[in-house]
Structures are given as C-alpha cells and as structure tokens.
Amino acid sequence: MTDARRYFALPSPFAMKRGGELHGARVAYETWGELSLAHDNAILILTGLSPSAHAASNAEDPSPGWWEAMIGPGKAIDTDRWFVICVNSLGSDKGSTCAASINPATGEPYRLDFPELSLEDVANAAHAAVSGLGIGQLACLIGCSMGGMSALAYMVLHPGSVRAHISVDTAPQAQPFAIAIRSLQREAIRLDPHWNNGHYDHEHYPEAGMSIARKLGVITYRSAMEWNGRFARIRLDPERRDDNPFGLEFEVESYLEGHAQRFVHTFDPNSYLYLSRASDWFDIAEYGNGSVMEGLKRIHIQKAMVIGVSTDILFPLEQQEQIADGLRAAGAEVEFVALDSPQGHDAFLVDIPNYSRAIGGFLGQL
C-alpha cells in the first residue's frame, strides 16, 4: 500500500493570526476525480479535529477513508463529476506542519514553541493549497465539525473563493459546554506526568491522559439515546471484568476503553492540544463587531446547505439554525436540514443514508 498524500509548501514565512510565523511549513492533502479544464468542478472538504486527509480510498491508497461511503463514483460526492480535495488541517500530525514537526530554527520538534494556532490559520493554509492547484473558486466547500468552523473562516477571509457551501454539524462559535469538555480533555493530557510540559517521546507518551481525553470526546460525540439503546446496563461477563478496585464492569466502559486504546499513539498529544484550543477560540462574531449574525452576513455565496442533528450535544441544532439564518441574511439560497439521527454529533460518519440523500441532492442541483 502506498501513501496517497501530496504536500503543498505554504508561503514562507507563513504568518499566524495570533502572532508568530512558520518557515518551510506544508499541508498534506489527497484528491479524487479529475479537475475540469475550466477548473470549475472542485470541492474542498475540511475535517474535524482528528481525521487525516484520507477521506476515501483511491488508486494510491485503497484503504477505506473516514468518509468512504460518501465519496466516490456514483456516491453522494460523485467523483465522476467532481474533483474532490481533502486538506489535512495545519497543526495536525497527519502530514501537515504541527507541534511535532521539526522547527527549522532549532532542528528539534516545535513542541510548545509552535505558534498559537487558530482555525483562521487552518483556513488560510487550505486556501493556499487550493490556489496552488490553480483553483480560483471552489464549486463547493464542505466543512464537518471543527472543519465547518474552518470553512466559515475560509469564506469570510477569502471573499469570492466559494460558490456553494455545505455545513455539517458545526457552529459559528464555541459554546460553553463544548469549551468545558475540551478543557477537561486538555487537562487530562497536561496532568499526565508523561506529558512533561510537552516533552514526551514514544516510550514516555501520555497514554493515560490521551485515553481519558478520547473517552470524554466519544461520550459527547454520541447521544444518551444511543448509549441507552446500545448498552443499557449490560454488565461484562465475569472473565472480561477488570479485577482492579473500581475497574471495568459495564459494557459501555469496555466500549470506551476500546475506543481509547485504538486512538492513543495515533495522534500527537501536543497537536491535539493546539487544535482543541483553536476550536475554543473560533468565533465568527469577531468579524461582525461582536455579533454572530453580522459576522455570518459577511459571507457571500450563492447557495448553502446547513445540516444539523437534533441529538448533537456538542454542536446543538440551534447553532446550525444560526448559521442558516446568517447565510440567508447575507443573500444565499439556503436549505436547512434537521435530522433526527440517534447517533448525535457523529451521525455524519454513521448515518450515511440520510447524509448521502441530503448532500447528494444538494450537489446534484449545482
């Protein structure tokens, strides 16, 4: 299996919103389909906090991507028609320059010397990569979760660069509940002795902190309805229980433990901290004199679809309605889709039939 990632070298120096700059930085991306001669069929996907640019399988890397069921010939995002790009966020360790990358000034990893990261930096890096591919205007920009916030930044910072937008389970600003959860996740990592103020290695990795952070995330990514339906109060068989005092006893605890163990050592803890805080900082109201609505009204596109889930506790449905109202007030033709999927925030990764119907239907009209 080969690596399908390509790399775009960012302008050097690359200025960061909150101060500082990067030298010799890059972002990783993957593509599917063919770019038209007029360069007018490009779709950009911006991801959540942890996914890589490998959104779907392709000839170079046939392994399933994180949105495998959504992207491909004849699928909702039809690669027979569209040229699809997925950019790994600046600050992520999945190929883009991040806190784990080598600082050219020192020859050592940046660690906490990495400049403060904002989602505006993520957006500007993605825009630079798209421009580097010779694309002046995207046919559609799709943003999922954290990527939806990055997408809003992309459109407000680069007017005229997007014709249509699909907003998926996101928010125009971080709300207190989301900030509180991410704060606990960061605290779990920072309080792990192996984190060592950012100076860890593979042998001394903050596994316990990353495990707790992941468990907290998974709890918020799904809904109480789904937890009840899948696990109820089912206890583990005696041979599967943890003999330690207060150890694993219920099925739901075992599920969270399995999820956490699959995640640790696959993501750089410092990168996790930087992207998490960047999500807290984002607020479209900064571009509207303190008003979310006025900030959204600075985004000028032709059409948009805003999708939300009634069971999403991390990015509540009212925040999706807020985005739809703001884009509509700015003059866009907006379709608002409220789904009742029981899976909560993760529904866009799981409830493929409903999301495919909505997204495929919208793209079919462009």
Side-chain angles (χ1 to χ4, degrees):
M1 185 183 301
T2 56
D3 189 345
R5 288 178 296 185
R6 304 173 193 176
Y7 300 93
F8 178 78
L10 296 172
S12 189
F14 182 82
M16 306 286 274
K17 177 190 175 185
R18 298 178 64 89
E21 58 190 24
L22 295 174
H23 294 264
R26 69 181 189 177
V27 287
Y29 68 96
E30 291 190 31
T31 67
W32 301 262
E34 298 293 332
L35 185 61
S36 65
L37 291 177
H39 290 196
D40 60 357
N41 69 330
I43 291 177
L44 171 65
I45 299 173
L46 298 179
T47 78
L49 187 151
S50 59
S52 70
H54 190 61
S57 56
N58 49 34
E60 293 87 357
D61 183 353
S63 65
W66 59 266
W67 227 8
E68 182 72 24
M70 192 70 67
I71 303 167
K75 296 181 182 179
I77 305 173
D78 188 353
T79 52
D80 285 338
R81 178 186 178 191
W82 303 107
F83 177 63
V84 182
I85 313 155
C86 184
V87 174
N88 179 235
S89 299
L90 180 69
S92 167
D93 72 342
K94 303 302 182 186
S96 297
T97 298
C98 65
S101 301
I102 298 299
N103 180 350
T106 64
E108 299 290 330
Y110 279 103
R111 303 186 188 275
L112 301 192
D113 287 333
F114 194 76
E116 290 185 333
L117 179 72
S118 73
L119 294 188
E120 284 85 349
D121 301 322
V122 172
N124 285 334
H127 180 263
V130 169
S131 299
L133 292 171
I135 300 163
Q137 185 182 60
L138 293 166
C140 189
L141 171 58
I142 303 176
C144 305
S145 188
M146 184 194 82
M149 294 190 284
S150 302
L152 294 176
Y154 189 110
M155 292 184 290
V156 78
L157 293 172
H158 302 282
S161 64
V162 177
R163 291 202 304 275
H165 173 47
I166 300 176
S167 174
V168 181
D169 300 358
T170 190
Q173 60 182 190
Q175 291 293 294
F177 177 77
I179 294 172
I181 291 297
R182 286 192 287 264
S183 175
L184 285 174
Q185 291 174 303
R186 292 191 298 272
E187 186 173 356
I189 295 168
R190 293 186 296 108
L191 290 180
D192 188 316
H194 285 146
W195 181 64
N196 191 26
N197 204 36
H199 289 268
Y200 48 81
D201 54 31
H202 187 74
E203 287 72 32
H204 304 88
Y205 175 94
E207 183 167 340
M210 286 292 282
S211 175
I212 294 170
R214 183 60 173 176
K215 289 177 183 179
L216 280 167
V218 171
I219 289 169
T220 65
Y221 298 156
R222 300 299 178 98
S223 72
M225 181 191 310
E226 188 186 14
W227 293 122
N228 291 338
R230 290 182 66 180
F231 300 106
R233 289 178 50 79
I234 299 172
R235 282 175 165 79
L236 294 166
D237 294 333
E239 61 271 16
R240 294 177 58 206
R241 294 184 187 179
D242 189 338
D243 291 334
N244 294 315
F246 308 105
L248 303 182
E249 181 178 353
F250 291 88
E251 283 280 1
V252 68
E253 294 177 291
S254 178
Y255 174 83
L256 290 174
E257 182 66 21
H259 241 287
Q261 290 308 310
R262 288 190 296 273
F263 183 76
V264 297
H265 288 287
T266 69
F267 205 91
D268 174 59
N270 285 338
S271 298
Y272 193 100
L273 295 173
Y274 272 90
L275 286 165
S276 169
R277 180 57 96 185
S279 298
D280 289 350
W281 279 330
F282 181 72
D283 186 359
I284 200 68
E286 288 183 15
Y287 303 95
N289 296 316
S291 164
V292 167
M293 184 62 69
E294 292 303 313
L296 290 166
K297 284 167 66 175
R298 291 192 55 186
I299 296 172
H300 298 291
I301 54 177
Q302 296 173 14
K303 299 183 69 173
M305 170 178 278
V306 180
I307 308 175
V309 180
S310 61
T311 55
D312 191 341
I313 60 173
L314 199 58
F315 295 100
L317 195 60
E318 56 263 29
Q319 290 198 282
Q320 326 303 324
E321 293 173 325
Q322 200 174 25
I323 293 171
D325 290 343
L327 295 178
R328 195 174 287 119
E333 179 186 336
V334 180
E335 181 178 353
F336 178 65
V337 179
L339 298 175
D340 291 323
S341 304
Q343 293 93 354
H345 181 66
D346 262 0
F348 74 95
L349 299 172
V350 182
D351 187 6
I352 297 300
N354 280 322
Y355 279 82
S356 288
R357 192 176 304 112
I359 292 172
F362 179 80
L363 292 175
Q365 299 171 24
L366 298 183

PDB file of all heavy atoms in Angstrom, residues 176-200:
ATOM      1  N   PRO A 176     -20.187  27.312  25.719  1.00  0.00           N
ATOM      2  CA  PRO A 176     -19.559  26.924  26.990  1.00  0.00           C
ATOM      3  C   PRO A 176     -19.454  25.417  27.208  1.00  0.00           C
ATOM      4  O   PRO A 176     -18.439  24.950  27.731  1.00  0.00           O
ATOM      5  CB  PRO A 176     -20.467  27.575  28.038  1.00  0.00           C
ATOM      6  CG  PRO A 176     -21.029  28.770  27.353  1.00  0.00           C
ATOM      7  CD  PRO A 176     -21.217  28.367  25.929  1.00  0.00           C
ATOM      8  N   PHE A 177     -20.482  24.645  26.828  1.00  0.00           N
ATOM      9  CA  PHE A 177     -20.413  23.204  27.054  1.00  0.00           C
ATOM     10  C   PHE A 177     -19.253  22.590  26.268  1.00  0.00           C
ATOM     11  O   PHE A 177     -18.479  21.786  26.807  1.00  0.00           O
ATOM     12  CB  PHE A 177     -21.734  22.528  26.648  1.00  0.00           C
ATOM     13  CG  PHE A 177     -21.708  21.031  26.783  1.00  0.00           C
ATOM     14  CD1 PHE A 177     -21.830  20.439  28.031  1.00  0.00           C
ATOM     15  CD2 PHE A 177     -21.531  20.208  25.679  1.00  0.00           C
ATOM     16  CE1 PHE A 177     -21.784  19.056  28.177  1.00  0.00           C
ATOM     17  CE2 PHE A 177     -21.487  18.830  25.808  1.00  0.00           C
ATOM     18  CZ  PHE A 177     -21.619  18.258  27.070  1.00  0.00           C
ATOM     19  N   ALA A 178     -19.123  22.960  24.997  1.00  0.00           N
ATOM     20  CA  ALA A 178     -18.043  22.419  24.170  1.00  0.00           C
ATOM     21  C   ALA A 178     -16.682  22.849  24.717  1.00  0.00           C
ATOM     22  O   ALA A 178     -15.734  22.041  24.761  1.00  0.00           O
ATOM     23  CB  ALA A 178     -18.208  22.870  22.722  1.00  0.00           C
ATOM     24  N   ILE A 179     -16.573  24.103  25.131  1.00  0.00           N
ATOM     25  CA  ILE A 179     -15.314  24.587  25.697  1.00  0.00           C
ATOM     26  C   ILE A 179     -14.982  23.823  26.974  1.00  0.00           C
ATOM     27  O   ILE A 179     -13.831  23.439  27.214  1.00  0.00           O
ATOM     28  CB  ILE A 179     -15.396  26.097  25.973  1.00  0.00           C
ATOM     29  CG1 ILE A 179     -15.521  26.874  24.648  1.00  0.00           C
ATOM     30  CG2 ILE A 179     -14.177  26.579  26.760  1.00  0.00           C
ATOM     31  CD1 ILE A 179     -15.809  28.355  24.833  1.00  0.00           C
ATOM     32  N   ALA A 180     -15.993  23.588  27.808  1.00  0.00           N
ATOM     33  CA  ALA A 180     -15.775  22.877  29.068  1.00  0.00           C
ATOM     34  C   ALA A 180     -15.266  21.457  28.821  1.00  0.00           C
ATOM     35  O   ALA A 180     -14.320  21.000  29.488  1.00  0.00           O
ATOM     36  CB  ALA A 180     -17.074  22.843  29.871  1.00  0.00           C
ATOM     37  N   ILE A 181     -15.872  20.756  27.875  1.00  0.00           N
ATOM     38  CA  ILE A 181     -15.428  19.391  27.575  1.00  0.00           C
ATOM     39  C   ILE A 181     -13.999  19.392  27.064  1.00  0.00           C
ATOM     40  O   ILE A 181     -13.148  18.602  27.512  1.00  0.00           O
ATOM     41  CB  ILE A 181     -16.378  18.743  26.546  1.00  0.00           C
ATOM     42  CG1 ILE A 181     -17.756  18.481  27.153  1.00  0.00           C
ATOM     43  CG2 ILE A 181     -15.775  17.438  26.009  1.00  0.00           C
ATOM     44  CD1 ILE A 181     -17.748  17.489  28.301  1.00  0.00           C
ATOM     45  N   ARG A 182     -13.707  20.276  26.113  1.00  0.00           N
ATOM     46  CA  ARG A 182     -12.345  20.313  25.567  1.00  0.00           C
ATOM     47  C   ARG A 182     -11.332  20.725  26.637  1.00  0.00           C
ATOM     48  O   ARG A 182     -10.189  20.256  26.639  1.00  0.00           O
ATOM     49  CB  ARG A 182     -12.294  21.229  24.353  1.00  0.00           C
ATOM     50  CG  ARG A 182     -12.952  20.623  23.109  1.00  0.00           C
ATOM     51  CD  ARG A 182     -12.637  21.404  21.855  1.00  0.00           C
ATOM     52  NE  ARG A 182     -13.325  22.665  21.798  1.00  0.00           N
ATOM     53  CZ  ARG A 182     -14.480  22.884  21.161  1.00  0.00           C
ATOM     54  NH1 ARG A 182     -15.073  21.879  20.520  1.00  0.00           N
ATOM     55  NH2 ARG A 182     -15.033  24.071  21.142  1.00  0.00           N
ATOM     56  N   SER A 183     -11.756  21.598  27.562  1.00  0.00           N
ATOM     57  CA  SER A 183     -10.871  21.988  28.655  1.00  0.00           C
ATOM     58  C   SER A 183     -10.502  20.778  29.512  1.00  0.00           C
ATOM     59  O   SER A 183      -9.334  20.596  29.892  1.00  0.00           O
ATOM     60  CB  SER A 183     -11.564  23.048  29.519  1.00  0.00           C
ATOM     61  OG  SER A 183     -10.773  23.362  30.659  1.00  0.00           O
ATOM     62  N   LEU A 184     -11.479  19.929  29.813  1.00  0.00           N
ATOM     63  CA  LEU A 184     -11.211  18.711  30.581  1.00  0.00           C
ATOM     64  C   LEU A 184     -10.305  17.753  29.807  1.00  0.00           C
ATOM     65  O   LEU A 184      -9.428  17.100  30.397  1.00  0.00           O
ATOM     66  CB  LEU A 184     -12.520  18.022  30.934  1.00  0.00           C
ATOM     67  CG  LEU A 184     -13.360  18.662  32.041  1.00  0.00           C
ATOM     68  CD1 LEU A 184     -14.694  17.949  32.172  1.00  0.00           C
ATOM     69  CD2 LEU A 184     -12.611  18.645  33.376  1.00  0.00           C
ATOM     70  N   GLN A 185     -10.521  17.667  28.493  1.00  0.00           N
ATOM     71  CA  GLN A 185      -9.660  16.800  27.685  1.00  0.00           C
ATOM     72  C   GLN A 185      -8.209  17.279  27.742  1.00  0.00           C
ATOM     73  O   GLN A 185      -7.282  16.480  27.918  1.00  0.00           O
ATOM     74  CB  GLN A 185     -10.150  16.787  26.233  1.00  0.00           C
ATOM     75  CG  GLN A 185     -11.484  16.089  26.036  1.00  0.00           C
ATOM     76  CD  GLN A 185     -11.988  16.219  24.615  1.00  0.00           C
ATOM     77  OE1 GLN A 185     -12.162  17.324  24.096  1.00  0.00           O
ATOM     78  NE2 GLN A 185     -12.205  15.096  23.961  1.00  0.00           N
ATOM     79  N   ARG A 186      -8.028  18.579  27.603  1.00  0.00           N
ATOM     80  CA  ARG A 186      -6.667  19.126  27.657  1.00  0.00           C
ATOM     81  C   ARG A 186      -6.054  18.934  29.047  1.00  0.00           C
ATOM     82  O   ARG A 186      -4.869  18.621  29.177  1.00  0.00           O
ATOM     83  CB  ARG A 186      -6.670  20.601  27.271  1.00  0.00           C
ATOM     84  CG  ARG A 186      -7.012  20.850  25.810  1.00  0.00           C
ATOM     85  CD  ARG A 186      -6.733  22.294  25.408  1.00  0.00           C
ATOM     86  NE  ARG A 186      -7.546  23.258  26.149  1.00  0.00           N
ATOM     87  CZ  ARG A 186      -8.750  23.669  25.789  1.00  0.00           C
ATOM     88  NH1 ARG A 186      -9.312  23.196  24.675  1.00  0.00           N
ATOM     89  NH2 ARG A 186      -9.402  24.565  26.499  1.00  0.00           N
ATOM     90  N   GLU A 187      -6.878  19.110  30.085  1.00  0.00           N
ATOM     91  CA  GLU A 187      -6.369  18.946  31.444  1.00  0.00           C
ATOM     92  C   GLU A 187      -5.914  17.508  31.694  1.00  0.00           C
ATOM     93  O   GLU A 187      -4.878  17.273  32.330  1.00  0.00           O
ATOM     94  CB  GLU A 187      -7.457  19.337  32.448  1.00  0.00           C
ATOM     95  CG  GLU A 187      -6.970  19.349  33.886  1.00  0.00           C
ATOM     96  CD  GLU A 187      -8.015  19.893  34.853  1.00  0.00           C
ATOM     97  OE1 GLU A 187      -9.095  20.330  34.400  1.00  0.00           O
ATOM     98  OE2 GLU A 187      -7.747  19.866  36.067  1.00  0.00           O
ATOM     99  N   ALA A 188      -6.683  16.558  31.170  1.00  0.00           N
ATOM    100  CA  ALA A 188      -6.292  15.151  31.341  1.00  0.00           C
ATOM    101  C   ALA A 188      -4.927  14.888  30.727  1.00  0.00           C
ATOM    102  O   ALA A 188      -4.099  14.161  31.303  1.00  0.00           O
ATOM    103  CB  ALA A 188      -7.350  14.248  30.693  1.00  0.00           C
ATOM    104  N   ILE A 189      -4.666  15.478  29.564  1.00  0.00           N
ATOM    105  CA  ILE A 189      -3.371  15.291  28.903  1.00  0.00           C
ATOM    106  C   ILE A 189      -2.267  15.992  29.687  1.00  0.00           C
ATOM    107  O   ILE A 189      -1.210  15.412  29.969  1.00  0.00           O
ATOM    108  CB  ILE A 189      -3.427  15.825  27.455  1.00  0.00           C
ATOM    109  CG1 ILE A 189      -4.417  15.003  26.623  1.00  0.00           C
ATOM    110  CG2 ILE A 189      -2.037  15.805  26.820  1.00  0.00           C
ATOM    111  CD1 ILE A 189      -4.751  15.607  25.278  1.00  0.00           C
ATOM    112  N   ARG A 190      -2.523  17.233  30.078  1.00  0.00           N
ATOM    113  CA  ARG A 190      -1.482  18.027  30.745  1.00  0.00           C
ATOM    114  C   ARG A 190      -1.129  17.481  32.128  1.00  0.00           C
ATOM    115  O   ARG A 190       0.004  17.636  32.596  1.00  0.00           O
ATOM    116  CB  ARG A 190      -1.920  19.485  30.851  1.00  0.00           C
ATOM    117  CG  ARG A 190      -2.013  20.204  29.503  1.00  0.00           C
ATOM    118  CD  ARG A 190      -2.307  21.687  29.648  1.00  0.00           C
ATOM    119  NE  ARG A 190      -3.608  21.946  30.250  1.00  0.00           N
ATOM    120  CZ  ARG A 190      -3.797  22.399  31.481  1.00  0.00           C
ATOM    121  NH1 ARG A 190      -2.750  22.646  32.262  1.00  0.00           N
ATOM    122  NH2 ARG A 190      -5.015  22.611  31.950  1.00  0.00           N
ATOM    123  N   LEU A 191      -2.098  16.834  32.790  1.00  0.00           N
ATOM    124  CA  LEU A 191      -1.833  16.310  34.130  1.00  0.00           C
ATOM    125  C   LEU A 191      -1.178  14.932  34.105  1.00  0.00           C
ATOM    126  O   LEU A 191      -0.743  14.445  35.143  1.00  0.00           O
ATOM    127  CB  LEU A 191      -3.141  16.241  34.929  1.00  0.00           C
ATOM    128  CG  LEU A 191      -3.745  17.589  35.339  1.00  0.00           C
ATOM    129  CD1 LEU A 191      -5.026  17.391  36.126  1.00  0.00           C
ATOM    130  CD2 LEU A 191      -2.749  18.422  36.150  1.00  0.00           C
ATOM    131  N   ASP A 192      -1.097  14.319  32.940  1.00  0.00           N
ATOM    132  CA  ASP A 192      -0.377  13.051  32.821  1.00  0.00           C
ATOM    133  C   ASP A 192       1.119  13.344  32.987  1.00  0.00           C
ATOM    134  O   ASP A 192       1.686  14.147  32.235  1.00  0.00           O
ATOM    135  CB  ASP A 192      -0.644  12.423  31.451  1.00  0.00           C
ATOM    136  CG  ASP A 192      -0.080  11.026  31.330  1.00  0.00           C
ATOM    137  OD1 ASP A 192       1.071  10.802  31.753  1.00  0.00           O
ATOM    138  OD2 ASP A 192      -0.788  10.152  30.789  1.00  0.00           O
ATOM    139  N   PRO A 193       1.779  12.730  33.966  1.00  0.00           N
ATOM    140  CA  PRO A 193       3.208  13.027  34.182  1.00  0.00           C
ATOM    141  C   PRO A 193       4.062  12.826  32.934  1.00  0.00           C
ATOM    142  O   PRO A 193       5.080  13.503  32.755  1.00  0.00           O
ATOM    143  CB  PRO A 193       3.605  12.049  35.291  1.00  0.00           C
ATOM    144  CG  PRO A 193       2.322  11.727  35.997  1.00  0.00           C
ATOM    145  CD  PRO A 193       1.258  11.760  34.938  1.00  0.00           C
ATOM    146  N   HIS A 194       3.662  11.906  32.071  1.00  0.00           N
ATOM    147  CA  HIS A 194       4.446  11.650  30.864  1.00  0.00           C
ATOM    148  C   HIS A 194       4.323  12.772  29.836  1.00  0.00           C
ATOM    149  O   HIS A 194       5.133  12.830  28.901  1.00  0.00           O
ATOM    150  CB  HIS A 194       4.038  10.314  30.234  1.00  0.00           C
ATOM    151  CG  HIS A 194       4.562   9.132  30.964  1.00  0.00           C
ATOM    152  ND1 HIS A 194       3.879   7.943  31.064  1.00  0.00           N
ATOM    153  CD2 HIS A 194       5.722   8.951  31.665  1.00  0.00           C
ATOM    154  CE1 HIS A 194       4.581   7.084  31.779  1.00  0.00           C
ATOM    155  NE2 HIS A 194       5.702   7.676  32.152  1.00  0.00           N
ATOM    156  N   TRP A 195       3.321  13.637  29.996  1.00  0.00           N
ATOM    157  CA  TRP A 195       3.238  14.773  29.063  1.00  0.00           C
ATOM    158  C   TRP A 195       4.466  15.668  29.236  1.00  0.00           C
ATOM    159  O   TRP A 195       5.022  16.175  28.264  1.00  0.00           O
ATOM    160  CB  TRP A 195       1.941  15.563  29.288  1.00  0.00           C
ATOM    161  CG  TRP A 195       1.810  16.716  28.327  1.00  0.00           C
ATOM    162  CD1 TRP A 195       1.700  16.645  26.967  1.00  0.00           C
ATOM    163  CD2 TRP A 195       1.826  18.111  28.654  1.00  0.00           C
ATOM    164  NE1 TRP A 195       1.636  17.923  26.420  1.00  0.00           N
ATOM    165  CE2 TRP A 195       1.706  18.834  27.436  1.00  0.00           C
ATOM    166  CE3 TRP A 195       1.921  18.822  29.849  1.00  0.00           C
ATOM    167  CZ2 TRP A 195       1.680  20.229  27.396  1.00  0.00           C
ATOM    168  CZ3 TRP A 195       1.889  20.210  29.812  1.00  0.00           C
ATOM    169  CH2 TRP A 195       1.768  20.902  28.587  1.00  0.00           C
ATOM    170  N   ASN A 196       4.855  15.889  30.500  1.00  0.00           N
ATOM    171  CA  ASN A 196       6.138  16.543  30.804  1.00  0.00           C
ATOM    172  C   ASN A 196       6.272  17.892  30.101  1.00  0.00           C
ATOM    173  O   ASN A 196       7.287  18.176  29.452  1.00  0.00           O
ATOM    174  CB  ASN A 196       7.293  15.606  30.425  1.00  0.00           C
ATOM    175  CG  ASN A 196       8.630  16.094  30.942  1.00  0.00           C
ATOM    176  OD1 ASN A 196       8.688  16.814  31.946  1.00  0.00           O
ATOM    177  ND2 ASN A 196       9.706  15.714  30.254  1.00  0.00           N
ATOM    178  N   ASN A 197       5.230  18.711  30.218  1.00  0.00           N
ATOM    179  CA  ASN A 197       5.244  20.041  29.605  1.00  0.00           C
ATOM    180  C   ASN A 197       5.537  19.982  28.111  1.00  0.00           C
ATOM    181  O   ASN A 197       6.206  20.849  27.548  1.00  0.00           O
ATOM    182  CB  ASN A 197       6.253  20.957  30.305  1.00  0.00           C
ATOM    183  CG  ASN A 197       5.898  22.433  30.127  1.00  0.00           C
ATOM    184  OD1 ASN A 197       4.716  22.798  30.107  1.00  0.00           O
ATOM    185  ND2 ASN A 197       6.909  23.286  30.007  1.00  0.00           N
ATOM    186  N   GLY A 198       5.011  18.942  27.484  1.00  0.00           N
ATOM    187  CA  GLY A 198       5.160  18.796  26.037  1.00  0.00           C
ATOM    188  C   GLY A 198       6.378  18.017  25.608  1.00  0.00           C
ATOM    189  O   GLY A 198       6.551  17.731  24.415  1.00  0.00           O
ATOM    190  N   HIS A 199       7.231  17.629  26.545  1.00  0.00           N
ATOM    191  CA  HIS A 199       8.480  16.923  26.206  1.00  0.00           C
ATOM    192  C   HIS A 199       8.319  15.434  26.496  1.00  0.00           C
ATOM    193  O   HIS A 199       8.793  14.920  27.515  1.00  0.00           O
ATOM    194  CB  HIS A 199       9.649  17.510  26.996  1.00  0.00           C
ATOM    195  CG  HIS A 199      10.032  18.876  26.538  1.00  0.00           C
ATOM    196  ND1 HIS A 199      10.998  19.102  25.581  1.00  0.00           N
ATOM    197  CD2 HIS A 199       9.544  20.091  26.886  1.00  0.00           C
ATOM    198  CE1 HIS A 199      11.105  20.409  25.365  1.00  0.00           C
ATOM    199  NE2 HIS A 199      10.236  21.018  26.138  1.00  0.00           N
ATOM    200  N   TYR A 200       7.665  14.730  25.590  1.00  0.00           N
ATOM    201  CA  TYR A 200       7.472  13.286  25.714  1.00  0.00           C
ATOM    202  C   TYR A 200       8.056  12.636  24.471  1.00  0.00           C
ATOM    203  O   TYR A 200       8.420  13.303  23.500  1.00  0.00           O
ATOM    204  CB  TYR A 200       5.974  12.957  25.843  1.00  0.00           C
ATOM    205  CG  TYR A 200       5.135  13.669  24.794  1.00  0.00           C
ATOM    206  CD1 TYR A 200       5.022  13.166  23.500  1.00  0.00           C
ATOM    207  CD2 TYR A 200       4.499  14.865  25.094  1.00  0.00           C
ATOM    208  CE1 TYR A 200       4.297  13.836  22.533  1.00  0.00           C
ATOM    209  CE2 TYR A 200       3.765  15.543  24.132  1.00  0.00           C
ATOM    210  CZ  TYR A 200       3.678  15.032  22.858  1.00  0.00           C
ATOM    211  OH  TYR A 200       2.969  15.707  21.892  1.00  0.00           O
TER     212      TYR A 200
END
